[in-house]
Amino acid sequence: STVCRMATVALNTAKSYYEEKHDKTSFVKSILSDNILLSDIYVRAKELHVEAELNRGVFVIRRADEKGEAIAVETIQNIFPDRQTSFVLSMGEDDIVLVQQLGENAELPDLEKTAALIEETLRANGESTVVVGIGTVATHLRDLAKSYKEAQMAIEVGKVFDTEKYIISYENLGIGRLIYQLPTTLCAIEERDDHGRARGGSSDKPIIQERAQKRKPCVSFAALCARGGLCSADRQRQKS
């Protein structure tokens, strides 16, 4: 009958939409994870009708309290229900990532508004308190992985230098980002006294090995500032 045919067409349309959407989400996740070749990005984007050259923001959402309840993907999807412009993915055990389409002239304040919406909505709904890391604007699909890493770094650096902030942008990390990226060998030098011994403990266990195991950044902030005047220079840059 006509009704049955119409129902079949509607069902097939809905199925195709779901499969395409699922493929798009998997595609974006592959880009974020660096699991796809650059040449394949162009091919898959064309197949899935995903526009390659668009401004997109990448936000990493992580629980502030590691012992708190996990954030559900559906919770973030409810804040950004448009599945054509927003991709919400679970990355690892702790992170939810939002890839959000932006306007042509999007700037950092626009990204911070989106991050604030996420943080405030979750707090108002009684969800876990979260920290939101913001990467730089990705102008092309190939830039998403870079922006994702930046958002992750923003959170990690914020743990050390901006412990009171819940929204942390990579662009505003300042001197903290440089110190975080210092090689572990320099950290080891800074943390040894004039006789080559580890400060505050035995020199039996190399500090480089210890820091590598704990995956902690170099945080000998005061020593570096005192030697190079980095702190004052950074403050002057931020004021100007």
Side-chain angles (χ1 to χ4, degrees):
S1 67
T2 304
V3 175
C4 290
R5 286 197 297 271
M6 291 176 62
T8 301
V9 170
L11 182 61
N12 289 336
T13 301
K15 181 181 177 183
S16 299
Y17 174 80
Y18 173 81
E19 290 176 345
E20 181 179 298
K21 176 59 186 176
H22 179 72
D23 285 341
K24 285 183 179 180
T25 301
S26 299
F27 172 52
V28 172
K29 190 168 186 175
S30 296
I31 298 174
L32 294 177
S33 305
D34 266 337
N35 267 346
I36 185 171
L37 297 173
L38 180 60
S39 57
D40 291 339
I41 290 179
Y42 292 94
V43 175
R44 290 292 291 154
K46 188 173 182 179
E47 289 175 349
L48 295 171
H49 309 289
V50 177
E51 192 166 342
E53 296 186 24
L54 272 181
N55 287 341
R56 293 179 173 92
V58 179
F59 306 84
V60 172
I61 305 148
R62 185 179 299 173
R63 293 170 296 174
D65 181 3
E66 294 181 358
K67 296 180 180 179
E69 294 184 5
I71 309 162
V73 170
E74 293 76 13
T75 303
I76 307 301
Q77 286 177 335
N78 290 337
I79 304 174
F80 303 93
D82 189 343
R83 304 298 175 83
Q84 296 300 314
T85 59
S86 305
F87 296 94
V88 181
L89 312 100
S90 176
M91 301 290 287
E93 296 181 0
D94 300 319
D95 294 346
I96 300 295
V97 177
L98 167 68
V99 177
Q100 173 75 9
Q101 183 176 316
L102 305 171
E104 291 184 5
N105 301 314
E107 297 181 348
L108 180 58
D110 301 305
L111 298 174
E112 290 176 335
K113 286 180 182 177
T114 299
L117 173 63
I118 297 169
E119 194 274 326
E120 291 169 4
T121 301
L122 293 178
R123 183 154 37 87
N125 291 343
E127 301 283 347
S128 300
T129 303
V130 299
V131 178
V132 183
I134 309 172
T136 55
V137 174
T139 59
H140 193 284
L141 285 173
R142 62 172 177 263
D143 300 324
L144 290 178
K146 172 175 172 287
S147 183
Y148 171 50
K149 291 182 177 66
E150 292 170 348
Q152 286 181 306
M153 181 181 289
I155 292 178
E156 293 300 325
V157 175
K159 287 181 181 178
V160 180
F161 299 105
D162 290 309
T163 55
E164 301 300 318
K165 290 185 178 179
Y166 293 103
I167 297 171
I168 308 168
S169 168
Y170 178 83
E171 291 187 23
N172 288 338
L173 291 181
I175 197 68
R177 171 164 56 94
L178 300 179
I179 294 176
Y180 185 89
Q181 293 176 314
L182 285 173
T184 53
T185 50
L186 180 57
C187 296
I189 293 171
E190 291 291 342
E191 295 187 15
R192 291 187 181 276
D193 60 22
D194 295 335
H195 301 287
R197 294 189 298 266
R199 300 185 191 278
S202 169
S203 59
D204 293 339
K205 185 176 183 181
I207 288 181
I208 298 176
Q209 178 185 348
E210 181 179 350
R211 185 170 294 282
Q213 290 174 349
K214 294 182 179 180
R215 295 185 180 180
K216 290 185 178 180
C218 176
V219 292
S220 48
F221 188 64
L224 286 167
C225 288
R227 289 189 178 187
L230 295 177
C231 295
S232 57
D234 189 60
R235 283 198 295 266
Q236 289 175 3
R237 182 184 63 79
Q238 290 181 346
K239 288 180 180 179
S240 62

